[in-house]
Amino acid sequence: MPIVIDLERGKKVAKLLYNSFTTTDIHGRTGMPRDMVPSSVAKGSLGHILFITLTISINYKRDASSLWESSIKTFDDPETKYLFDPKLLHETPLEKIVEDMHRYNLSPRPEKDADIWQRVGVTFYEKWSSDPRNFFKNSNWDSSLIVKRLRTDTHTEKGETAPDYPYLRSPKIRPLWLKMLRDDAGMVELRNLEAIPILVDVHVARATLATGVIRGQFKGTLDELSEDIREAWFQSVEGLNANERPMIAIDMYQPLSHLSMHGCSNRDEIIGNCTAFNNCEARDLCIKGKIKIDKNFVDLET
């Protein structure tokens, strides 16, 4: 049969996972690596905002725990803390940035990571007085407009047009960045986050399929399935609450990621037996069948 979006099941999964993630745990874990904050920074301060912003700008193709741990060490070291100051990033040669980002393995891809890091910092220095909040104010704190500008704002570099926010502008990073700023840095002024779709990666896809929110038969790319996954969570969270406010689709990213990383990743890809089943918060909603995700290819029979 073709794939089906089960919204009744989606609401059950959303309530269960969100409540478990925020009050007890999912597979013994309640925090994501990116929830960590340097000891020397005040939550919600400009330093905290820049720590989140610059770190997440290179959050691609690497282990999240090691990234955030390396970033904290870099921030807490007086000799490398300048890497979180847009003005100093503007004044420092790229070669020095490459060297200092490597000290705590913040940049597995030294030149590329340093170039992204410096560009993001310099953009905020040159255009927004070193404060991302000025960018948000200029965008009327509208998340939809911020996302659009992340995609489209440019500058001239060596005679060519270049993006202001490399990687920060990517479909995977930009919603996560805004959610972190709201939830972790307390930036409650951000509006219209409900219009931002959930980040769909392998973990979100696997947990969505394993809980039967989307089921049926499908063979194709994850990119092709992503629109259905985004729509499933847009609709599933409607009418639900999250900590005394309306739940939004991107609230489900962390709970689903936890469920997949520490639970659904243990499923047998063909029949669906899972070694984490007995201790899984979502075991009553787990479905049998084939859920095989190999890089960007999905083979589903549930």
Side-chain angles (χ1 to χ4, degrees):
M1 66 175 180
I3 60 172
V4 173
I5 298 176
D6 188 335
L7 296 181
E8 181 179 354
R9 196 178 190 92
K11 289 185 181 297
K12 291 179 181 178
V13 172
K15 287 192 288 187
L16 174 67
L17 293 186
Y18 187 84
N19 289 338
S20 295
F21 182 75
T22 56
T23 61
T24 54
D25 60 63
I26 295 176
H27 291 291
R29 298 166 174 85
T30 56
M32 295 289 276
R34 58 185 69 92
D35 293 332
M36 299 184 294
V37 180
S39 59
S40 59
V41 70
K43 185 174 181 178
S45 65
L46 177 58
H48 188 200
I49 292 167
L50 290 169
F51 168 75
I52 290 172
T53 299
L54 289 162
T55 305
I56 205 168
S57 72
I58 58 169
N59 186 19
Y60 65 98
K61 295 183 179 180
R62 66 176 299 177
D63 176 70
S65 295
S66 65
L67 168 64
W68 293 90
E69 289 170 2
S70 295
S71 192
I72 286 175
K73 291 177 182 177
T74 304
F75 191 100
D76 284 339
D77 186 334
E79 293 186 359
T80 53
K81 188 174 182 178
Y82 80 89
L83 289 167
F84 298 86
D85 184 326
K87 181 176 184 294
L88 296 179
L89 286 171
H90 173 73
E91 297 171 352
T92 304
L94 182 60
E95 294 77 11
K96 174 65 172 170
I97 294 173
V98 170
E99 177 184 345
D100 288 338
M101 287 183 69
H102 190 62
R103 179 178 297 191
Y104 297 106
N105 198 31
L106 182 57
S107 54
R109 303 164 186 82
E111 288 77 17
K112 182 176 182 179
D113 289 347
D115 186 59
I116 293 169
W117 188 284
Q118 185 182 44
R119 180 64 258 167
V120 170
V122 168
T123 291
F124 285 115
Y125 169 72
E126 292 181 337
K127 294 191 172 184
W128 307 112
S129 301
S130 298
D131 191 338
R133 291 171 296 191
N134 292 328
F135 171 47
F136 299 147
K137 290 175 186 175
N138 188 262
S139 302
N140 199 27
W141 296 96
D142 184 342
S143 298
S144 296
L145 179 56
I146 292 167
V147 164
K148 179 181 178 181
R149 294 185 66 179
L150 287 172
R151 295 197 314 264
T152 60
D153 282 10
T154 60
H155 63 279
T156 301
E157 186 174 315
K158 297 178 181 178
E160 297 183 357
T161 299
D164 280 350
Y165 309 98
Y167 279 87
L168 199 59
R169 68 200 288 267
S170 74
K172 290 188 175 182
I173 297 301
R174 61 190 185 232
L176 185 56
W177 179 48
L178 294 178
K179 176 175 166 55
M180 286 186 66
L181 290 175
R182 183 199 65 178
D183 293 349
D184 299 342
M187 201 172 287
V188 296
E189 301 93 338
L190 287 168
R191 300 184 298 109
N192 294 331
L193 275 166
E194 69 276 5
I196 307 300
I198 190 171
L199 157 65
V200 178
D201 57 15
V202 169
H203 289 300
V204 167
R206 182 184 289 117
T208 301
L209 300 177
T211 53
V213 177
I214 290 179
R215 61 181 184 272
Q217 295 184 347
F218 175 84
K219 282 189 179 183
T221 67
L222 179 56
D223 292 338
E224 293 170 329
L225 188 60
S226 290
E227 184 57 38
D228 290 306
I229 295 174
R230 286 190 285 266
E231 186 60 28
W233 292 113
F234 266 134
Q235 295 189 44
S236 292
V237 301
E238 286 185 2
L240 302 182
N241 291 319
N243 296 331
E244 300 182 353
R245 61 165 173 77
M247 188 182 293
I248 59 178
I250 58 177
D251 283 324
M252 290 306 300
Y253 176 77
Q254 289 177 307
L256 289 166
S257 294
H258 263 293
L259 183 66
S260 173
M261 284 189 287
H262 307 295
C264 306
S265 295
N266 297 290
R267 283 176 59 101
D268 180 281
E269 293 181 333
I270 305 302
I271 61 176
N273 290 341
C274 181
T275 58
F277 179 83
N278 289 337
N279 296 316
C280 183
E281 290 75 7
R283 59 184 175 273
D284 292 338
L285 294 166
C286 181
I287 63 172
K288 299 294 185 180
K290 180 192 290 187
I291 300 174
K292 188 173 183 180
I293 305 177
D294 184 8
K295 296 181 181 178
N296 194 44
F297 185 78
V298 180
D299 187 357
L300 176 69
E301 292 181 16
T302 55

